[in-house]
Amino acid sequence: MSIEDRMSEVEADVAEMKELLDKALRPKVKDMLTINLRKMETDLINLREQKDQQDSRLKTEGGSGTESAVKPAAKASSTHIIPDSQIKDYSWDQSERFVKLYLTNLPDLGQVNQDAVKTKFTDQSLEIRVENYKGKNLVFSINKTCHKINPEKSYHKVKSDYLLVFICKHNPGSSWSHFTYADKVKSDASKMSAGGGGAADTKGLEDKDDPSAGIMNMMKKLYDEGDDEMKRTIAKAWTEGQQKKMDM
């Protein structure tokens, strides 16, 4: 089955699941339907990303047939694209002024051209690229950090086998509980779905007769307004929290 067919199937399932959720009356039934709906929506997001990657790859591999026929050797050379590879191994700690990010398991990184390492910071995001490292472009990005940062004073250092990034805190002396905002939301969601804490975060949203309704409303708001990464994080956290409750 092609990606397009799978997307159509999941889209139909999502639409029908939403109809069932609208008709459901029992709280537990609503919770179960919500969990499955979030799983389906996460699957749909992943399929759309696969489709975008496939379209991009086909577009890159395409080109003028006439040009290829006339100059096949030159065309082959010009269409050689260095693939991107996500950096997955990292750790972090913090000092009074900086959050220090360690991108590890990068043998011989110290031998690359310094200009090949590019960093981009905003007030609450960062993107790092190491171009043409062992035949790949290494990429690491955080769409939203846990707290605001100072882009102008953030910088990096290339070590022999890892990259050290100094992320300057917007408020020196503050303590970060998590590195990414998504991790913080996941932690808060797990606590709330398990029935613990979260009272301060749900202020103004809680229903006096049913506190869980306030939590559901807050999670729905975060989910609806978040990007794809946020949706996946919330769906995973919510699912794990509900499954823990069912196992108790």
Side-chain angles (χ1 to χ4, degrees):
M1 183 181 293
S2 67
I3 293 180
E4 290 84 354
D5 291 338
R6 290 161 60 193
M7 285 175 59
S8 298
E9 287 291 323
V10 177
E11 285 172 349
D13 291 341
V14 167
E16 187 168 337
M17 186 66 72
K18 286 181 177 179
E19 292 180 3
L20 292 173
L21 185 58
D22 289 338
K23 296 176 182 178
L25 299 176
R26 301 283 298 170
K28 286 187 177 180
V29 174
K30 286 185 176 182
D31 285 348
M32 294 178 66
L33 290 174
T34 298
I35 291 172
N36 283 281
L37 176 60
R38 297 307 183 230
K39 286 181 178 178
M40 290 178 183
E41 289 178 330
T42 300
D43 290 341
L44 185 57
I45 289 170
N46 291 333
L47 286 171
R48 285 172 176 165
E49 290 181 348
Q50 292 177 30
K51 179 66 165 56
D52 290 341
Q53 292 174 0
Q54 183 184 71
D55 291 345
S56 178
R57 185 168 60 252
L58 291 174
K59 185 177 180 180
T60 300
E61 293 174 353
S64 171
T66 303
E67 183 181 355
S68 296
V70 176
K71 298 180 179 180
K75 183 64 179 177
S77 176
S78 63
T79 57
H80 175 66
I81 304 298
I82 299 175
D84 286 351
S85 177
Q86 296 293 324
I87 298 177
K88 299 186 182 299
D89 294 324
Y90 77 94
S91 59
W92 68 282
D93 62 16
Q94 60 184 309
S95 62
E96 184 174 338
R97 292 185 57 207
F98 292 95
V99 172
K100 290 180 283 187
L101 173 67
Y102 301 84
L103 303 181
T104 55
N105 290 336
L106 302 174
D108 303 322
L109 181 65
Q111 299 177 16
V112 304
N113 190 318
Q114 296 294 310
D115 293 335
V117 181
K118 303 180 184 300
T119 56
K120 179 181 178 181
F121 302 96
T122 71
D123 63 352
Q124 207 164 357
S125 71
L126 62 105
E127 180 179 349
I128 300 165
R129 291 180 64 86
V130 182
E131 297 184 342
N132 201 12
Y133 171 81
K134 297 183 182 294
K136 296 179 180 180
N137 292 327
L138 302 183
V139 181
F140 180 87
S141 62
I142 298 297
N143 293 330
K144 189 173 184 180
T145 53
C146 185
H147 299 288
K148 286 188 176 182
I149 66 179
N150 187 330
E152 289 75 20
K153 295 184 179 180
S154 298
Y155 61 98
H156 70 275
K157 288 185 178 181
V158 177
K159 301 295 185 178
S160 61
D161 59 354
Y162 69 94
L163 183 66
L164 176 56
V165 184
F166 292 83
I167 304 167
C168 186
K169 296 179 178 178
H170 179 73
N171 294 316
S174 62
S175 179
W176 287 28
S177 59
H178 300 80
F179 180 53
T180 70
Y181 182 71
D183 286 341
K184 183 178 186 302
V185 169
K186 179 180 178 181
S187 176
D188 291 344
S190 296
K191 292 176 182 176
M192 288 185 291
S193 61
D201 292 335
T202 60
K203 184 177 181 181
L205 291 174
E206 286 190 357
D207 187 297
K208 293 182 179 180
D209 297 323
D210 184 6
S212 64
I215 295 173
M216 287 288 291
N217 288 337
M218 190 197 74
M219 295 304 299
K220 184 178 185 300
K221 183 174 184 295
L222 285 171
Y223 186 90
D224 291 340
E225 295 178 357
D227 56 17
D228 289 350
E229 181 182 354
M230 182 66 70
K231 291 180 188 291
R232 284 194 294 267
T233 299
I234 292 175
K236 180 180 178 181
W238 187 255
T239 300
E240 291 174 351
Q242 291 298 312
Q243 288 176 342
K244 287 179 181 177
K245 288 172 66 176
M246 292 177 182
D247 293 339
M248 293 176 63

